[in-house]
Amino acid sequence: GAVVSQHPSWVICKSGTSVKIECRSLDFQATTMFWYRQFPKQSLMLMATSNEGSKATYEQGVEKDKFLINHASLTLSTLTVTSAHPEDSSFYICSAFRDPYEQYFGPGTRLTVT
Amino acid sequence: GQNIDQPTEMTATEGAIVQINCTYQTSGFNGLFWYQQHAGEAPTFLSYNVLDGLEEKGRFSSFLSRSKGYSYLLLKELQMKDSASYLCAVRFYSGAGSYQLTFGKGTKLSVIP
C-alpha cells in the first residue's frame, strides 16, 4: 500500500491566490522530505529539501518566498504556493526515504492556475 | 554537479527484451535508482544498485558499473503495460548528513504488439 500520501490530488485556483499541498509519511517517520516539480514531458526537478524542525533547503532558482515549506512534524511536510500564477501550473510530487535504499513518492498534486 | 544521460525514446515489441542505458557523472555517489512513471502518475520504485553488478527482480534487472558511470535497466518478456517512462536517478551525498536524488530526463518506452 501507499507509504506517502499527498493532499489534494488536484487543485484549480485563480491567479494570485495561495495553495497548500500536504505530504504525509504514513507508517514511518521522515526527518527529511523532498519536493519535486514536473512539467509535461519533462523529468522531475528537485525544488527543495524539507527538514523537520528547521528551514528547508531550496535548489538554485527556486524562490523560497514563493514556495513556502513547513516540516512541522516527523510525518508531515507542507508546500504552499503563494500568489500562484499560470506558470506555476505543474505536477508537484513529494517523497521520503523509508529506509536508506528506497525512496517513496507521493501520488502527486496537479496544480492548475487559471 | 550532477549529469545523467539516457535515451529519450525507445520502441520494442511485446514479448521481447529491451535494455535502457543510463550514464552519469556525479560526486559523492551513493546509489542508482530506476523508476517507472506512467503518464500523469508519480514514479514507482523499480530497483536500486549501490555496488557493481546485476540485480534481478522478476522481469526487471538493473546493472551498475561505478567505474564507468554506467547503468542499464533490462526488461524481459515485455508487456503492453510496460509502456511508460523509465527514470534513472542518482543519489549523492549533499553534505550535512543528507542525500539527494538527481533524475535523468527519462526514457519513454513504447511497447507495440
Side-chain angles (χ1 to χ4, degrees), chain B residues 32-66:
Chain B
L32 188 141
F33 296 75
W34 283 96
Y35 290 87
Q36 180 190 61
Q37 186 178 27
H38 286 99
E41 299 180 10
T44 55
F45 171 81
L46 288 179
S47 69
Y48 168 75
N49 295 69
V50 68
L51 300 176
D52 292 350
L54 187 69
E55 294 282 340
E56 297 188 77
K57 211 174 181 181
R59 294 190 299 116
F60 297 81
S61 303
S62 57
F63 172 83
L64 174 67
S65 169
R66 289 172 296 171

Side-chain angles (χ1 to χ4, degrees), chain B residues 61-104:
Chain B
S61 303
S62 57
F63 172 83
L64 174 67
S65 169
R66 289 172 296 171
S67 62
K68 296 181 179 178
Y70 168 69
S71 173
Y72 68 73
L73 178 69
L74 194 71
L75 292 79
K76 303 175 184 176
E77 301 170 15
L78 280 174
Q79 302 175 9
M80 299 300 290
K81 67 178 182 179
D82 296 329
S83 293
S85 284
Y86 291 85
L87 309 176
C88 172
V90 172
R91 185 167 74 170
F92 62 97
Y93 181 66
S94 57
S98 297
Y99 295 88
Q100 286 186 8
L101 278 188
T102 295
F103 284 83

